[in-house]
Amino acid sequence: MNKAVQLLIAWDAFEEKHPNSNLDDFCRFFLSQNKQPQPAGVQSRGLLLKTLGRITSAFSLYHKAAMNKTNLPSPDLFYFLNGLAFLGEVRKTELINYLLMEYTTGMEAITRLQKEHLIQERADERDGRAKLISLTEKGRKTLADCYEYASKASEMVLGDLDEDSIQLCIHLLKGIEEKHSKLAIELKNKDFDNMYTQVCQADKE
């Protein structure tokens, strides 16, 4: 088969699978493919998760040290402030679910942030029983300081990658991140066997 035809067929298949992608995304994906033998499915998945886990562990170590340079009471509270900056004014449970945290752990962190006047709460006008939380001015300023150090931590981990490589990684993993961000919230209090069954069913849909 003509190589140009093969390229067009590959592009068509990629576009069908990733309808919101552009030509740059396809080129990055196409160039990333090779014919070298790959480990079996279970092995390759394990290797990828090991790689991601080790990278995440290294980043967590750097990030924790970076947050210790800020005025945060605890390094992990960065994620709550950052989550609120992204979500805006929300209920406490919405923030906890967004962060994939356990309820008790999340509520303890939110209470601590309130005591430090980094977040504030008010009654939800649509539901008098519910409370809405948001960043205070102090919280926004603290978060801005955190971003400066968080950026340095991310540079330490990903500074050797060029922009195209980073965009390719984002493109390849984005669907998995979106899928499991939703599923993990729905399944976090269920037995593993139920989790496994529902995730596998979702894969077939």
Side-chain angles (χ1 to χ4, degrees):
M1 184 184 295
N2 183 281
K3 291 183 179 180
V5 175
Q6 288 180 319
L7 183 63
L8 288 173
I9 291 174
W11 186 4
D12 182 66
F14 178 82
E15 192 173 39
E16 183 177 350
K17 190 173 182 180
H18 306 284
N20 296 321
S21 301
N22 55 36
L23 181 58
D24 289 344
D25 294 328
F26 169 71
C27 290
R28 283 191 290 264
F29 175 80
F30 188 80
L31 291 173
S32 72
Q33 305 303 295
N34 59 71
K35 298 299 183 180
Q36 297 177 0
Q38 298 297 315
V42 173
Q43 292 177 312
S44 58
R45 289 196 297 269
L47 178 59
L48 176 58
L49 290 172
K50 174 187 174 183
T51 301
L52 292 173
R54 297 288 290 177
I55 292 171
T56 301
S57 295
F59 175 74
S60 295
L61 187 150
Y62 302 148
H63 186 268
K64 182 177 180 180
M67 291 304 101
N68 284 333
K69 303 290 288 185
T70 71
N71 292 324
L72 277 182
S74 172
D76 290 343
L77 295 180
F78 164 81
Y79 299 105
F80 288 83
L81 295 183
N82 187 55
L84 270 182
F86 175 76
L87 296 173
E89 190 176 53
V90 294
R91 296 184 180 186
K92 297 175 182 179
T93 51
E94 290 180 69
L95 177 60
I96 293 171
N97 285 336
Y98 172 75
L99 297 175
L100 306 179
M101 300 284 292
E102 292 294 332
Y103 179 80
T104 301
T105 303
M107 289 300 293
E108 289 175 353
I110 289 171
T111 298
R112 191 170 183 184
L113 287 169
Q114 287 178 293
K115 289 180 178 179
E116 296 290 335
H117 305 291
L118 296 171
I119 66 174
Q120 59 195 354
E121 73 173 16
R122 69 174 181 86
D124 187 346
E125 296 173 355
R126 298 168 297 178
D127 183 352
R129 298 168 299 176
K131 301 288 186 180
L132 298 174
I133 56 174
S134 61
L135 294 175
T136 62
E137 183 61 30
K138 179 182 178 182
R140 284 189 287 272
K141 290 180 179 179
T142 300
L143 185 59
D145 293 336
C146 291
Y147 283 149
E148 178 181 352
Y149 285 100
S151 177
K152 292 180 179 179
S154 66
E155 180 184 0
M156 291 167 69
V157 175
L158 300 176
D160 293 334
L161 291 179
D162 60 33
E163 183 64 22
D164 282 347
S165 297
I166 290 176
Q167 289 301 321
L168 175 60
C169 291
I170 292 172
H171 176 74
L172 293 176
L173 296 174
K174 184 176 179 61
I176 295 175
E177 183 268 331
E178 290 177 345
K179 169 188 171 182
H180 289 284
S181 290
K182 179 181 178 181
L183 282 174
I185 294 172
E186 298 173 357
L187 302 176
K188 69 177 183 179
N189 293 319
K190 294 190 176 183
D191 174 75
F192 174 75
D193 290 335
N194 288 333
M195 288 183 177
Y196 180 80
T197 299
Q198 293 191 42
V199 169
C200 290
Q201 287 177 345
D203 288 339
K204 298 176 182 179
E205 295 177 356

